[in-house]
Amino acid sequence: MKVQISVNGEDTSADVEPRLLLAHYLREQVGLKATNIGCDTTSCGACTVLLDGEAVKSCTLLAVQAEGQSVTTMEGLEGASEGQPTHPVTAAFRAEHGLQCGFCTPGMVMSAVSLISHDDDLDERKVREGLEGNLCRCTGYHNIVRAVLVAAGKDPDAEQKAEAESDALRTAPGFSRGESAEEARA
Amino acid sequence: MIPLAFDYARPDTLDGALALLAEKGEDATVLAGGHSLIPVMKVRLGAPEFVIDIGRLSELDYIRVDGDEVAIGAGTKHRDLVTSEVLGAEVPLVPAVARTVGDPQVRARGTLGGSIAHGDPASDLPAAILALDGKVVLRSPRGERTVGIADFYTGVFSSVKEPDELVTEIRLPRKAGVGWAYEKFTRRSNDWAIVAVAVCDGKVGLVNMGSTSLRATATEQALADGKSIAEAAALADEGTEPPADNAGTPAYRRALVKVLTRRALETASGV
């Protein structure tokens, strides 16, 4: 049957079988290969794209379900082609080295774009929860989380700094209540 | 992985969907969010000849207070259960449980009605609805009927729902200010529960402890008899037949369910 789907702002259409998955539509019909199929079991999130602005796993959607809707893939972000300004999430992944082999990266980036658009006050815990649908088989999560925080305009070291400050206070002379109490008694 | 071939229709109205379902009968399967159905079709455990897509029927997407109950349209997505102010105020167990379903992408697509109709004993929400004594509304061109969820499931992936019936609504008693908790045990954050326990108002629903979602009736009886939480939780595996799989043996699940039930009961009672 015929489907029409807007992909990265351009109208696409094809005559497809209803069983065609959206991930295959994007890769094979439209020819956009950033959307990766990792696990094919709705677990890994490498196939994550935005459907009407919402992060979804395109291996678990039929292309016909997206009929008339709008899909954004990694190729649709600014800076995917030369001469464009780089999308803040892509730039942050680059700056913070939020990638290792890179296979999971397009899905991670699309989840991050969705996460940042839904929450303007992200912290590390929220980022980790928000990325629970995206697996990095290199287990490189640390720099990915930093990259998302940077892209969200947050200081990725804020929590470490706070911890270091409280450590510094704890070891400062006269801070310990126990010691002060003993000193007071003395 | 690619599903076997099927025919597909996306009716514009609920009545249209019901008429088509009645016409196609057992050859047809209903697709809502598709996050239970499509994975099953991809590994070809399911191979419907006809798929009826109700995923865009706004008629089935609502959460509203209706007298002493809250009515939730079957098409309501997990993400909307999580963020619903009505549910947060009236039945806070439901947002807490929905928050643990899958991951953000799954919650953006999966629906409450789909989860209930699919009937996977490892699903989170059916056990929670069981602990809430909820009801399932079924509709077909023959009419509408309401079934208590305790009478709904007949086995793994099977229920009293007839082939021409559609789950259209879930009805829950309002439970503001009542003690509740959900304890879910997984090895990975977006995984199915190995075992989980939903508690609300002294009722206990179990996830993945048998061929359907279950109530821990011996635990509930012990609580009603004034036994301690520790004593009641020790009975949580009575009458269960936990599955054996890569995540754990039946004996492991029996041990786990007692611990999770104790934790859930303690949280629910504010201990």
Side-chain angles (χ1 to χ4, degrees), chain B residues 122-136:
Chain B
S123 297
D124 300 285
L125 285 157
I129 305 302
L130 203 52
L132 288 162
D133 266 332
K135 292 179 233 164
V136 182

Side-chain angles (χ1 to χ4, degrees), chain B residues 62-209:
Chain B
Y62 57 86
I63 300 169
R64 59 182 171 237
V65 172
D66 185 2
D68 55 5
E69 292 182 318
V70 177
I72 309 175
T76 306
K77 294 183 168 68
H78 298 319
R79 181 202 50 208
D80 298 328
L81 299 175
V82 173
T83 56
S84 164
E85 286 180 18
V86 171
L87 291 176
E90 302 291 349
V91 203
L93 174 65
V94 172
V97 172
R99 192 183 294 278
T100 74
V101 175
D103 50 54
Q105 294 97 312
V106 170
R107 293 194 289 274
R109 295 293 302 180
T111 66
L112 174 60
S115 173
I116 298 297
H118 186 59
D120 187 331
S123 297
D124 300 285
L125 285 157
I129 305 302
L130 203 52
L132 288 162
D133 266 332
K135 292 179 233 164
V136 182
V137 179
L138 296 160
R139 202 185 291 180
S140 74
R142 296 178 286 125
E144 189 176 276
R145 65 181 174 130
T146 301
V147 181
I149 194 159
D151 301 318
F152 184 68
Y153 293 115
T154 54
V156 184
F157 304 131
S158 56
S159 69
V160 299
K161 185 175 76 62
E162 298 289 341
D164 67 343
E165 284 181 316
L166 190 66
V167 173
T168 54
E169 189 176 89
I170 306 300
R171 301 187 70 84
L172 304 174
R174 296 170 69 178
K175 293 274 186 185
V178 163
W180 58 272
Y182 191 57
E183 285 287 339
K184 177 173 178 175
F185 192 82
T186 62
R187 288 197 193 284
R188 295 173 299 195
S189 68
N190 65 345
D191 214 344
W192 297 92
I194 298 173
V195 171
V197 178
V199 166
C200 188
D201 204 8
K203 306 279 185 2
V204 183
L206 306 180
V207 174
N208 221 6
M209 286 297 291

Side-chain angles (χ1 to χ4, degrees), chain A residues 15-38:
Chain A
D15 195 17
V16 303
E17 282 192 75
R19 62 175 167 165
L20 184 76
L21 301 170
L22 181 60
H24 293 138
Y25 179 86
L26 294 169
R27 289 179 61 86
E28 290 152 24
Q29 302 285 331
V30 189
L32 297 176
K33 300 290 173 71
T35 303
N36 289 328
I37 298 170

Side-chain angles (χ1 to χ4, degrees), chain A residues 1 17-19 21 24 39-43 45 48 51 54-57 59-62 64-69 111 118 129-135, chain B residues 1-8 10 31-35 38-39 41-44 51 53 56 79 99 101-109 188-190:
Chain A
M1 61 192 284
E17 282 192 75
R19 62 175 167 165
L21 301 170
H24 293 138
C39 67
D40 218 1
T41 58
T42 332
S43 302
T48 299
L51 180 64
E54 197 77 54
V56 299
K57 292 180 175 175
C59 81
T60 310
L61 274 167
L62 305 170
V64 290
Q65 282 178 285
E67 157 72 23
Q69 294 186 299
S111 276
H118 282 93
E129 283 178 5
L131 293 180
E132 70 177 336
N134 292 76
L135 304 183
Chain B
M1 292 178 286
I2 299 168
L4 287 170
F6 55 85
D7 289 324
Y8 170 90
R10 193 174 62 235
L31 170 74
H35 276 51
I38 293 175
M41 288 169 64
K42 283 166 67 172
V43 295
R44 303 193 174 187
V51 169
D53 184 354
R56 291 203 217 170
R79 181 202 50 208
R99 192 183 294 278
V101 175
D103 50 54
Q105 294 97 312
V106 170
R107 293 194 289 274
R109 295 293 302 180
R188 295 173 299 195
S189 68
N190 65 345

Side-chain angles (χ1 to χ4, degrees), chain A residues 60-133:
Chain A
T60 310
L61 274 167
L62 305 170
V64 290
Q65 282 178 285
E67 157 72 23
Q69 294 186 299
S70 150
V71 171
T72 308
T73 71
M74 179 92 190
E75 290 98 335
L77 297 183
E78 294 158 353
S81 56
E82 261 179 71
Q84 284 182 317
T86 306
H87 189 280
V89 175
T90 316
F93 267 68
R94 190 181 296 164
E96 298 298 325
H97 195 66
L99 72 165
Q100 292 192 30
C101 84
F103 191 84
C104 71
T105 305
M108 286 282 184
V109 168
M110 299 318 285
S111 276
V113 169
S114 172
L115 184 61
I116 292 169
S117 74
H118 282 93
D119 189 338
D120 55 11
D121 192 24
L122 289 172
D123 57 25
E124 183 181 334
R125 182 185 60 80
K126 287 185 190 174
V127 171
R128 288 186 182 275
E129 283 178 5
L131 293 180
E132 70 177 336

